[in-house]
Amino acid sequence: MNSPTPHVRVIASPQSWVEGEAIRQLEAASRLPGMRSAVGLPDLHPGKGAPVGAAFASEGIFYPFLVGNDIGCGMGLWELDLPARKAKPERWATKLDLDGPWEGNTDAVLADMGVKPCGFEAALGTVGGGNHFAEVQRVDAVHDAQTFTALGLETDRLLLLVHSGSRGLGEAILRAHVDRHGTGGLAEDSDEARRYLERHDHAVAWARANRATIAGRMMQGIAAGGRRVLDVCHNSVTPKEYEGHTCWLHRKGAAPSDQGPVVIPGSRGALSYLVLPVGDGTGHAHSLAHGAGRKWTRSSARERMRERFTPDALTRTSFKSHVICEDRDLLFEEAPPAYKAIDRVVGDLVEAGLVRVVATLAPVLTYKTRSRRE
DNA sequence: ATGTCC
């Protein structure tokens, strides 16, 4: 297959510092056979082999390792039927526990969402590790009242943002692929490509059902009802017309700009941004930043934060919100200074003409994990 | 990121 000269672009202002290793990973991926375009978004940072905060468009072949293990990972936003003044973060924090297997009817939830059971039911409704979370939020400020209202949102209502993925399911799918092909791609007209895509699409649907189940558990825990406002996936590979070519659009920590409004969260202890994509997707592979982006490696964050903060200090944020994270290492790894500033990342997207800010959302209570590791 | 290491 002919490989046209690949196009590499990084959408980041000089103030959004990007690690050299991330650029090297982006360029390496851009040289893969069939690759047309590699785009780094302002939250670009090094990943395991492939960079995170990036989108890739290829022709005739696609690369499962670029999507990574957490196939279907994404963000779901719910509007709760509780007014902000009814928030009881301290009380909620003492009793919320979403770590164990969900005790509800997993088969019914999956059937309801058209997802076939596959042996990973015990993980359905669990947040997982790393940067995953479920967070109750309040509206901080509305910048685009028309879009905000069109989404049915109200300023005094609490919101729930869920960031999670396909847990062990996506991991198993990637591992099966890598065992045979390593970082090699799959020709689009092959049986193996069809088989991978079928599993991939299933994991994407499963991850969405997982976020819905997590939201349900959280709402039950705080005695609230809610309505899903949006749910978007930022780890996937999908067919897409791009700049006049039929492409495979890989997103690795990249939110879609072709599926309506998205939430771009900051670190746990920062604002999240509800944004409306603008423009036609050209030049940025129909993709946006998916978060603040890691600034320090996990091990470096553990070292630096251990010297500066006690775990107790990190469970309270500058927004006076509370973080439930009883895994001390994870608390350090996920501390706000370990991430880039979200206002700069979103500012870069605004200046590049990719989004309009609809509203900023402030944390009230963040759930990470109740499993104790000290 | 990961039923995360037997």
Side-chain angles (χ1 to χ4, degrees), chain A residues 48-88:
Chain A
K48 200 182 167 185
V52 184
F56 306 91
S58 60
E59 270 188 291
I61 184 169
F62 62 84
Y63 295 89
F65 90 96
L66 291 180
V67 176
N69 62 316
D70 199 1
I71 302 163
C73 186
M75 297 280 171
L77 181 71
W78 279 258
E79 184 186 54
L80 304 181
D81 60 6
L82 283 181
R85 66 188 153 76
K86 289 268 183 80
K88 301 277 188 292

Side-chain angles (χ1 to χ4, degrees), chain A residues 126-140:
Chain A
T126 58
V127 172
N131 56 1
H132 290 173
F133 63 84
E135 183 171 277
V136 178
Q137 304 178 328
R138 60 179 168 78
V139 178
D140 169 66

